[in-house]
Amino acid sequence: MSDMLKLQNGSDIRGVAVDGVEGENVNLTPDICRKVGCAYVSWLSKKTEIPAEGLTIGVGRDSRISGQALANALMDGIISAGASVVDCGMATTPAMFMSIIFEDTDFDGSAMITASHLPYNRNGIKFFDRDGGLEHDDITDILNLASLLNPAKVPGAVKTHDLLSVYAEYLKNKIQSALNAGDKPLSGLHIVVDSGNGASGFFVDKILKPLGADTTGSQFLEPDGMFPNHIPNPENKQAMEAIRSAVLNNKADLGLIFDTDVDRMSAVLSDGSEINRDSIIAMISAILAPEYPGSTIITDSVTSDRLTYFLEKELGLKHLCYMRGYKNVINKQKELNAQGICAPLAMETSGHGALKDNYFLDDGAFLAVKLVIALAQASKNGKKLDSLIEKLPPLVEEGEYRFKINTEDFKAYGTKVLEDFKKRAEAKGYKMPASYEGIRISFDSEDVKGWMLLRMSLHDPVMPMNIEGARKGDLQKLVAIAKELTDGYDKLDRSCLN
């Protein structure tokens, strides 16, 4: 594998961009970004059949300290290939896709300099064309081509565009049109936002405040790529505790938290309840259900049986529990809708959620807009937002266990473990629902209620196991069953189960 291909992370490019962390050497440099920018133009020109000179490409970045230098280099590479480039400055990943959709930008392609929620020393690039985010094979092609290039720096004009203001206006109009209640439809509502010093501060200044919301207590709105307060990541416990405290201390109606580049979000209700993982999927599904009755909700593989019950029995929807990876759930969503099967939402427990009515784009700010609209409508009817998910059974006990595979041929070993795990479960008569990733078992007896999922990690020599008990004490019983079903593998480290 070439050094360039080592920068591939699924459908993104990721690397170490800043010195300062021991053992992490810089491998994503301005020189590499220059080559990648040049290669992207060649790739896009070939796909669109538009000569490089006829292409216009937008480039944005989040708040990372390496962002400006890498963006400048990427733009140099784009110019060296003959295309026009527009510097969108501080932006979000969803906004960069929308720059291809918006009439006043109408770019042929776009790039976002970001490494999502990773630490300050990391950075990366996400690319878009008119079909959405690029696929794994597209990034492989671009990196292979980049490894052969050595573009000269050539003079060229770089236009600038305040994309974030255009994008914010688009979102603000969505709220106004949905609520149809004058210029200040959020008057009387108290909403706090935690940006974690990422790129989402605009949601307060350009959307909530102009629409009349009280945003007192919003925090860490200033972009700061060192992330001095907490990692901007809705899956991070410290980050969620920060927004939870902000909601409770300010007696807010709703708290919103985003990741660095704003393609993910989670929320906190007025009583401090965290709306993330299963509950954020349940909440968005409940909002969409009246508009899309009987439709299919697609999730990743680690969602709970509680969520399946809520979606199917309470909302009358269908639940397709698919596989990990936000591109996987979104691509499945596109596939089903193309077949005429209505799938309005594809969402991972990580907070990545794509809506059919928003270009199948995983957009944290758009999901937040849906929540804000639902909050205003509930308030108008004398209800609280949590009424939408009051019939979602509560989480009682859960655990995630990661079994290391101590052999070089870990994929073959893991496959054998899964085969035997399934055979042993069948021999015990356990119920195994259809699973697209790993082996899932559901338990619903008087003795034990809950579920477990054993799967292979996408890239690492690890087998993650998720277990959830429906009642107090069930987790311990399920762990005992898991031990029995995975017994006898000397290369599988299960010490975390003890």
Side-chain angles (χ1 to χ4, degrees):
M1 183 191 289
S2 74
D3 286 345
M4 201 70 92
L5 279 179
K6 290 176 184 174
L7 293 168
Q8 179 157 9
N9 182 68
S11 55
D12 300 344
I13 291 170
R14 295 263 178 94
V16 178
V18 178
D19 276 319
V21 176
E22 188 176 346
E24 297 192 7
N25 299 319
V26 172
N27 62 355
L28 183 62
T29 63
D31 183 53
I32 286 173
C33 287
R34 195 171 294 111
K35 294 176 181 180
V36 169
C38 186
Y40 173 59
V41 173
S42 297
W43 178 89
L44 188 62
S45 177
K46 182 179 178 182
K47 178 175 178 178
T48 60
E49 299 182 343
I50 298 172
E53 294 73 19
L55 294 172
T56 300
I57 295 167
V59 175
R61 58 181 174 81
D62 66 20
S63 59
R64 292 170 185 279
I65 59 174
S66 56
Q68 187 66 69
L70 297 187
N72 289 344
L74 190 79
M75 290 188 286
D76 285 345
I78 291 168
I79 291 168
S80 75
S84 298
V85 70
V86 177
D87 183 356
C88 297
M90 184 72 63
T92 73
T93 294
M96 290 316 302
F97 170 71
M98 293 303 296
S99 70
I100 300 172
I101 302 295
F102 291 145
E103 287 184 11
D104 64 337
T105 43
D106 194 29
F107 300 151
D108 300 290
S110 63
M112 176 71 178
I113 308 290
T114 181
S116 187
H117 61 279
L118 292 181
Y120 79 93
N121 66 320
R122 308 294 185 91
N123 217 328
I125 315 170
K126 295 181 180 181
F127 287 106
F128 295 96
D129 66 7
R130 292 195 182 276
D131 295 325
L134 269 56
E135 300 293 339
H136 179 280
D137 291 350
D138 302 328
I139 298 299
T140 302
D141 292 344
I142 289 168
L143 288 173
N144 278 327
L145 180 56
S147 68
L148 305 174
L149 299 176
N150 192 21
K153 188 169 180 178
V154 297
V158 176
K159 295 178 182 175
T160 59
H161 187 80
D162 181 11
L163 177 65
L164 214 46
S165 291
V166 176
Y167 175 64
E169 191 66 20
Y170 163 76
L171 295 176
K172 186 160 72 79
N173 289 341
K174 290 282 181 187
I175 296 173
Q176 280 185 300
S177 61
L179 296 178
N180 193 24
D183 292 339
K184 305 284 184 182
L186 302 183
S187 291
L189 295 176
H190 189 169
I191 303 170
V192 296
V193 173
D194 185 320
S195 291
N197 304 108
S200 62
F202 76 95
F203 203 86
V204 171
D205 296 328
K206 296 180 182 292
I207 298 174
L208 296 178
K209 281 185 179 177
L211 292 179
D214 177 0
T215 60
T216 308
S218 293
Q219 59 195 14
F220 318 139
L221 304 181
E222 284 300 312
D224 184 340
M226 292 302 291
F227 310 128
N229 296 290
H230 61 71
I231 296 171
N233 179 9
E235 287 191 289
N236 178 270
K237 287 184 179 178
Q238 184 188 358
M240 287 305 295
E241 186 52 43
I243 182 62
R244 186 172 177 276
S245 296
V247 169
L248 293 174
N249 292 341
N250 293 280
K251 296 181 172 55
D253 300 303
L254 178 67
L256 300 170
I257 185 166
F258 301 91
D259 72 340
T260 321
D261 61 326
V262 203
D263 58 1
R264 294 189 294 129
M265 64 81 63
S266 285
V268 172
L269 299 178
S270 58
D271 65 355
S273 302
E274 295 180 7
I275 303 299
N276 55 9
R277 297 186 63 80
D278 287 324
S279 56
I280 189 69
I281 300 172
M283 181 75 80
I284 301 297
S285 299
I287 291 169
L288 296 172
E291 193 177 347
Y292 299 101
S295 60
T296 298
I297 305 298
I298 304 166
T299 70
D300 58 358
S301 60
V302 297
T303 50
S304 170
D305 286 359
R306 296 177 299 110
L307 179 67
T308 303
Y309 165 83
F310 179 74
L311 296 177
E312 296 187 346
K313 303 301 182 187
E314 296 295 341
L315 297 183
L317 305 173
K318 299 180 185 72
H319 181 201
L320 176 57
C321 188
Y322 194 48
M323 57 172 60
R324 298 278 280 187
Y326 73 95
K327 288 293 288 183
N328 290 328
V329 293
I330 292 172
N331 286 343
K332 191 67 177 176
Q333 181 189 29
K334 289 178 178 178
E335 177 192 317
L336 290 188
N337 280 287
Q339 294 170 2
I341 300 168
C342 181
L345 175 68
M347 195 163 187
E348 276 199 308
T349 48
S350 66
H352 274 291
L355 297 177
K356 181 173 79 76
D357 62 4
N358 190 43
Y359 307 95
F360 302 105
L361 177 64
D362 51 319
D363 184 346
F366 197 90
L367 291 178
V369 160
K370 287 286 189 185
L371 279 185
V372 167
I373 292 168
L375 172 68
Q377 290 171 336
S379 180
K380 184 180 177 184
N381 294 320
K383 293 184 175 182
K384 289 193 170 184
L385 193 56
D386 57 0
S387 63
L388 287 170
I389 56 169
E390 61 190 1
K391 293 183 180 177
L392 174 69
L395 172 64
V396 180
E397 295 182 325
E398 67 171 344
E400 180 171 281
Y401 310 89
R402 298 177 69 80
F403 308 151
K404 289 182 181 175
I405 305 175
N406 298 312
T407 178
E408 283 198 14
D409 194 8
F410 63 87
K411 289 193 175 176
Y413 196 86
T415 300
K416 173 65 175 161
V417 171
L418 282 174
E419 287 172 358
D420 290 349
F421 183 80
K422 183 178 181 183
K423 286 176 185 173
R424 292 174 180 183
E426 285 173 337
K428 292 280 187 182
Y430 294 145
K431 180 185 174 186
M432 285 182 285
S435 179
Y436 292 86
E437 183 174 44
I439 306 299
R440 189 179 181 112
I441 310 174
S442 291
F443 300 85
D444 189 21
S445 68
E446 281 304 312
D447 186 52
V448 62
K449 295 180 187 290
W451 60 274
M452 65 176 68
L453 172 71
L454 180 66
R455 60 189 173 87
M456 281 290 296
S457 170
L458 291 176
H459 310 292
D460 302 320
V462 171
M463 298 192 77
M465 175 173 259
N466 293 82
I467 304 179
E468 184 177 320
R471 305 166 305 190
K472 285 285 184 186
D474 279 335
L475 180 63
Q476 194 174 347
K477 293 177 182 178
L478 291 169
V479 166
I481 292 171
K483 283 182 179 178
E484 185 182 358
L485 294 177
T486 55
D487 213 14
Y489 296 95
D490 59 343
K491 301 289 191 297
L492 192 67
D493 181 0
R494 301 175 303 145
S495 56
C496 55
L497 283 177
N498 296 321

